[in-house]
Amino acid sequence: MARNLDVSLLRAFVAVVDAGGMTAATGVLNLTQAAVSQQIKRLEETLGEELITRERRGMKLTGAGERLFGRAKRLLALNDEIWTEMTTPEFEGEVRLGIPSDIITTYLPTFLKDFARRYPRVQISLNSGSSAALRAKLQAGKVDVVLATEMACDPDGENLVMDRLVWVGARGGDAARQRPLPVSIGCSDCAFRTPIRDVLQKAGIEWRSVSEVTNTSAQVATVAADIAVMAWMASTVPNGLEVLGPESGLPALPPFMVNLYLPRDGGSHVVQELARHIREAVADRHRMAA
């Protein structure tokens, strides 16, 4: 005959092991120590096995406890996933996301797939352009969420990560040694334009613009062909290109931020959920890269 495990007893067991003891688990479970102890006893009676032994130096898992622990964690994770899936309302509609083209490849896949799986009936429309143009669209109500690359974060924004702005060139290329320095740059309101101009002017390096386009593929192509160098955020440097260090003779560039902007009223629930997915994905990515 099939038997059912009491999930609350498994949760108490996992909490005790993770916390390192009954006393520490009371805060996690919001139960008294006596109640936690009773739940562990009930679980042991259900399984007919001693799971935890108490020693002078603290608690220790028995062989049965070791076997149960990993399986119990997987079962609890599945339980919680099912609960969330079945109790969260289904949302439909569209979320308009603004993101500069130079960070699309790096950041978009980190959160878009999980969000689409979580909200299959919500359509995401992508708007690409300069950070300034995208923030103007947000103010006009033409987009709902904006990721921006900026030197500073305005009070109505949220800084997600600080990154280095670096010079990038073709592998083994010599464009960085040419004068005037050929630079592949974005559109007229590209956030990188001003710091590029300022550091080169301060260093006394003449330069010329090779391309002024919003299409990052065109920018990358000119650099890959060793026709120019460009400024790029360190975490998003395209494959096949290399970061040009001090030995290139080019001056250091200032750090840049990836900032998140939402409507003044915070946006709808789905907008808030997309923002949450973005925050978590960016934090996870940079934690793994650290």
Side-chain angles (χ1 to χ4, degrees):
M1 184 177 67
R3 300 287 299 276
N4 297 319
L5 288 170
D6 188 329
V7 175
S8 64
L9 301 184
L10 291 176
R11 197 176 298 279
F13 170 69
V14 169
V16 168
V17 178
D18 282 341
M22 304 278 185
T23 303
T26 58
V28 177
L29 298 168
N30 197 27
L31 296 171
T32 65
Q33 185 171 341
V36 174
S37 180
Q38 184 62 31
Q39 287 197 320
I40 299 300
K41 182 180 178 182
R42 285 177 55 200
L43 182 60
E44 291 177 328
E45 290 173 348
T46 299
L47 298 175
E49 295 273 7
E50 185 180 27
L51 303 172
I52 298 173
T53 59
R54 287 77 172 174
E55 301 179 348
R56 176 176 295 182
R57 290 176 297 177
M59 51 149 278
K60 181 181 178 181
L61 287 176
T62 64
E66 292 280 4
R67 295 199 309 273
L68 176 63
F69 181 62
R71 293 177 173 84
K73 292 200 79 165
R74 293 197 297 272
L75 182 57
L76 288 174
L78 180 59
N79 174 85
D80 295 345
E81 180 184 339
I82 292 172
W83 177 265
T84 300
E85 184 72 27
M86 300 306 295
T87 59
T88 301
E90 281 280 357
F91 289 96
E92 299 180 358
E94 178 186 27
V95 179
R96 300 162 298 177
L97 171 64
I99 181 170
S101 58
D102 55 319
I103 63 172
I104 283 180
T105 303
T106 300
Y107 287 99
L108 197 63
T110 62
F111 62 82
L112 194 57
K113 182 177 180 180
D114 186 54
F115 180 83
R117 180 189 62 80
R118 185 69 188 82
Y119 295 100
R121 296 186 180 181
V122 175
Q123 178 183 347
I124 295 183
S125 298
L126 293 179
N127 285 257
S128 184
S130 69
S131 295
L134 293 173
R135 289 191 58 189
K137 285 187 175 182
L138 181 67
Q139 292 292 327
K142 295 180 179 179
V143 294
D144 305 302
V145 182
V146 167
L147 273 178
T149 52
E150 302 173 304
M151 292 185 67
C153 185
D154 286 353
D156 57 336
E158 176 184 350
N159 175 236
L160 300 182
V161 68
M162 178 81 76
D163 201 358
R164 293 181 301 130
L165 191 63
V166 295
W167 293 104
V168 177
R171 293 190 184 279
D174 65 0
R177 292 186 288 273
Q178 297 178 25
R179 296 296 183 271
L181 178 71
V183 180
S184 182
I185 201 167
C187 54
S188 60
D189 59 350
C190 172
F192 299 162
R193 177 181 286 269
T194 297
I196 288 173
R197 181 193 62 210
D198 290 350
V199 298
L200 291 177
Q201 183 176 357
K202 187 175 181 180
I205 297 176
E206 288 188 64
W207 66 284
R208 62 185 178 87
S209 176
V210 172
S211 64
E212 297 192 13
V213 294
T214 56
N215 186 320
T216 54
S217 296
Q219 281 188 269
V220 171
T222 59
V223 175
D226 199 26
I227 295 172
V229 298
M230 66 181 180
W232 217 254
M233 296 184 75
S235 65
T236 66
V237 174
N239 293 330
L241 303 182
E242 66 178 5
V243 174
L244 304 174
E247 69 281 357
S248 68
L250 298 179
L253 291 158
F256 255 68
M257 296 179 174
V258 176
N259 299 327
L260 176 67
Y261 292 90
L262 301 178
R264 291 188 181 276
D265 62 0
S268 65
H269 174 81
V270 175
V271 167
Q272 288 288 336
E273 277 297 287
L274 178 58
R276 181 178 66 81
H277 277 72
I278 292 172
R279 290 187 192 98
E280 293 176 356
V282 171
D284 287 347
R285 183 184 186 281
H286 283 268
R287 187 162 46 245
M288 291 173 61

